[in-house]
Amino acid sequence: MRSAAAALLAAGLLAGAAGPALAGKANDTLVYASDSEPENVSPYHNSAREGVILARNVWDTLIHRDPATGQHQPMLATAWTWIDPVTLELTIREGVTFHNGDPLTPEDVAFTFNYVLTPEAKIVTKGNVDWMKATEVTGPHTVRIHLKAPFPAALEYLSGPTPILPAAYFKKVGLAGFSKAPVGTGPYRVVAVDSGKGVRMVRNDKYWPGSPIGRPKIGKLEFRVIPDGDSRMAELMTGGVDWIWRVPSDQAEQLKQDPALTVLSAETMRVGFLQFDVQGRAMEASPLKDARVRRAIAHAIDRKAMVDNIVRGGARVMNAACFIDQFGCTDEGVPAYAYDPAKARALLKEAGYPNGFEIDLSAYRERDYAEAVLGYLRAVGIKARLNYLRYAAFRDALRGGKTSIGFQTWGSFSINDVSAFTGIYFRGGEEDLAKDPAVIAALQAGDTSTDPAVRKAKYAEALGRIGSEAYALPMFSYPSNYAFSRDLAFTAQADEVPRFYAASWK
């Protein structure tokens, strides 16, 4: 395998191979590679998993959720109190500085949350913040977040996709300047952003003491964008990078034979699903407007066979449109859509398509998964054309009604609450292709009730209707195969957040 990797390098096929390799323990530089890059490194202006990883290493949040216990702990906020069901007061930690030397103040918190709620901010995932109404400074060290309605998951959101921005610096440089030279309070600080290639970071030696995540042990991080999977693997095997993920199962098995590498497999919160153009915007007289067609597609695909033979690594078939371990996610009362090609063909005939039809299907990752789906659809007469896109283009095509079926994946920003999934795709926002009033009402009731039993009942109602109408077809949870240098001590977590600040050299 090493000779094969060397041949790739010699042929000049590796992205970024022109420069010297700086990865490894000797240089105290952990180089990690992935196939995609966030469209903007600002944590509120991308929804790519690569952006989430950068955010967790560069920015802090008000609250920290311990990945081992699930308990919420003080971070940039030292304490919090519910004044009433729609008012949360937080005490902001003293003695914290941003990477540019500015002190953290309550004004930074209020600016961040008020800014991301404005239309001009144009943040990518509005569902992460639109539960907030406004934030005000109430004292030298306190802020109050006013909610639009009760939102029991607020602390979970404040521990994940809501990092704090430096108000004075952001106002000075604007989003364009911030995306080129971002500033946070986190364990690493960004020293270079190279669009299309990656991001370089160094340890924040002035990181505030007492942080629940601790001080990083590795001095430098480098994120590299290497779109081709074989090239990523070859770079790992020849020492150009230290860590890769999303390694296909067959390649992971091969890499286990390399004594210089460690390979881990773990299920994540990410769920793959087919999202349907229910309103028929992408093509005239779209077959997808008929629920029988959507159900036919569901019966046409052998999801269990895909899990067993392609995905592997601890993946599970998902029937509900969420990750089954999230609070409020349930598959009780949700159709399972067993693999049944004969039933699929019968439903197509009943809907007026005895000979099938032609349609487009878009995807942005795991091309082999999408191609397997195409094969299953072809077997029942549906001739689907694959459009393989970058994530931002894929997302915009679905939002804009320009593609009929999207092979989506969603990791819920690692939020362990069903609202982080259903609230994005089925509650009436940009990502909602069905906009079913009954589903929207049930989800809003679940999101805002302070009674856990009521929340669960309303989510079950919504998930049942999403499933019975086949607005989307959940496929399976995603495993992640990680491969990295044996010199590196790294632990994988189910929330799909590689915590490089917790890694170390052996």
Side-chain angles (χ1 to χ4, degrees), residues 103-120:
L104 171 74
T105 68
E107 284 74 16
D108 297 300
V109 177
F111 164 77
T112 299
F113 294 158
N114 290 328
Y115 163 71
V116 297
L117 291 173
T118 62
E120 55 266 27

Side-chain angles (χ1 to χ4, degrees), residues 244-294:
I244 63 174
W245 68 342
R246 299 174 185 163
V247 180
S249 297
D250 56 344
Q251 292 185 355
E253 290 300 317
Q254 292 178 336
L255 291 175
K256 287 179 181 178
Q257 309 306 313
D258 191 326
L261 301 176
T262 299
V263 178
L264 292 178
S265 297
E267 184 187 34
T268 73
M269 292 176 63
R270 182 168 298 276
V271 174
F273 61 104
L274 299 184
Q275 191 174 17
F276 301 124
D277 178 29
V278 176
Q279 297 180 328
R281 295 184 296 162
M283 61 184 290
E284 189 175 352
S286 172
L288 296 176
K289 295 175 72 173
D290 192 322
R292 293 171 295 184
V293 171
R294 302 193 298 269

